[in-house]
Amino acid sequence: GENVEQHPSTLSVQEGDSAVIKCTYSDSASNYFPWYKQELGKRPQLIIDIRSNVGEKKDQRIAVTLNKTAKHFSLHITETQPEDSAVYFCAASRGGATNKLIFGTGTLLAVQP
Amino acid sequence: DVKVTQSSRYLVKRTGEKVFLECVQDMDHENMFWYRQDPGLGLRLIYFSYDVKMKEKGDIPEGYSVSREKKERFSLILESASTNQTSMYLCASIDQGLATEAFFGQGTRLTVV
């Protein structure tokens, strides 16, 4: 079945440093790759996404890259701040009637002030 | 403001009880999901539904069933609760188009004693 692997499971960085989280998906038909952020005690919320016809997308301090050949995609956070501390989930989807999101196992990011 | 609402935030049930977790969305989304969230395991898909009365098994359906009698409501049923079903349960809904955001409920922390 479809599978999304995510690494690392935990990541600790100093405030101002960059953070990178990597995911690999198994379903070649996946064409939509969102990233969700879940703060402690809250529900996951979409922070950025990318479609398969795009290699990179940026939104202020966050960016996502996609390598369809290798079936890899990554989240990049620059100039990290304490409020970036959260669990981050990657996901992959085909879209359409059976549009289901398969999530990775999550990365706990801790930004040390 | 879009909303996905789960009926309970915290729930304590006894082993063997039948448990109902309810989820309601007000966005007219076709697809709804139930995920289970456990530390280190991410968001694992239990069941999803792409239309009224339509359902498909996810990755971990054993011990669970679902019901979708109306478009806005998706129920997760634990036929006979067991201690290994103690977990955080998250409901989500999404439009069937590509590149659409999933919206999550606030989660139900279920403890089976």
Side-chain angles (χ1 to χ4, degrees):
Chain A
E2 303 101 326
N3 183 50
V4 177
E5 293 188 2
Q6 182 172 347
H7 300 281
S9 57
T10 59
L11 180 59
S12 181
V13 300
Q14 291 294 317
E15 183 176 358
D17 286 351
S18 295
V20 180
I21 303 169
K22 299 182 178 182
C23 290
T24 303
Y25 60 97
S26 62
D27 183 4
S28 299
S30 296
N31 50 20
Y32 173 61
F33 307 92
W35 287 86
Y36 285 79
K37 175 183 180 182
Q38 186 179 28
E39 296 177 353
L40 187 62
K42 296 189 177 181
R43 67 193 78 189
Q45 292 194 302
L46 180 71
I47 55 170
I48 194 168
D49 56 15
I50 191 167
R51 296 180 61 171
S52 60
N53 57 351
V54 176
E56 183 173 358
K57 184 177 178 180
K58 191 173 182 180
D59 182 4
Q60 299 182 344
R61 294 187 298 107
I62 60 174
V64 58
T65 59
L66 172 65
N67 182 331
K68 277 214 78 178
T69 303
K71 292 192 278 188
H72 290 169
F73 58 113
S74 300
L75 178 70
H76 304 253
I77 306 173
T78 59
E79 301 171 26
T80 52
Q81 300 168 5
E83 52 264 39
D84 294 329
S85 296
V87 177
Y88 291 81
F89 292 99
C90 63
S93 169
R94 293 184 176 190
T98 56
N99 185 13
K100 61 177 178 177
L101 285 175
I102 302 300
F103 284 90
T105 49
T107 296
L108 175 60
L109 173 64
V111 180
Q112 309 297 332
Chain B
D1 191 22
V2 296
K3 280 188 178 175
V4 179
T5 305
Q6 295 181 226
S7 53
S8 304
R9 191 70 191 262
Y10 299 96
L11 213 50
V12 180
K13 295 293 182 180
R14 295 195 178 276
T15 300
E17 276 194 80
K18 190 169 187 176
V19 181
F20 293 86
L21 303 183
E22 307 284 346
C23 176
V24 178
Q25 52 99 359
D26 65 359
M27 296 163 284
D28 203 36
H29 285 166
E30 295 90 351
N31 291 14
M32 296 186 72
F33 308 86
W34 277 104
Y35 292 94
R36 172 175 170 162
Q37 182 173 17
D38 299 288
L41 298 177
L43 298 169
R44 292 182 292 168
L45 183 62
I46 304 172
Y47 267 98
F48 77 102
S49 169
Y50 52 90
D51 201 351
V52 174
K53 297 189 185 295
M54 303 302 289
K55 61 186 179 185
E56 280 199 23
K57 294 179 179 179
D59 298 320
I60 52 165
E62 296 78 18
Y64 304 95
S65 62
V66 291
S67 173
R68 191 155 180 213
E69 297 297 318
K70 294 184 178 181
K71 189 175 185 180
E72 67 271 18
R73 187 180 297 271
F74 191 36
S75 303
L76 180 70
I77 304 158
L78 286 67
E79 296 291 341
S80 177
S82 64
T83 54
N84 62 12
Q85 292 178 309
T86 291
S87 186
M88 171 67 82
Y89 291 87
L90 284 165
C91 172
S93 74
I94 194 170
D95 190 74
Q96 283 187 354
L98 180 63
T100 57
E101 180 177 356
F103 293 89
F104 284 84
Q106 76 276 29
T108 297
R109 171 71 65 184
L110 172 67
T111 302
V112 182
V113 297

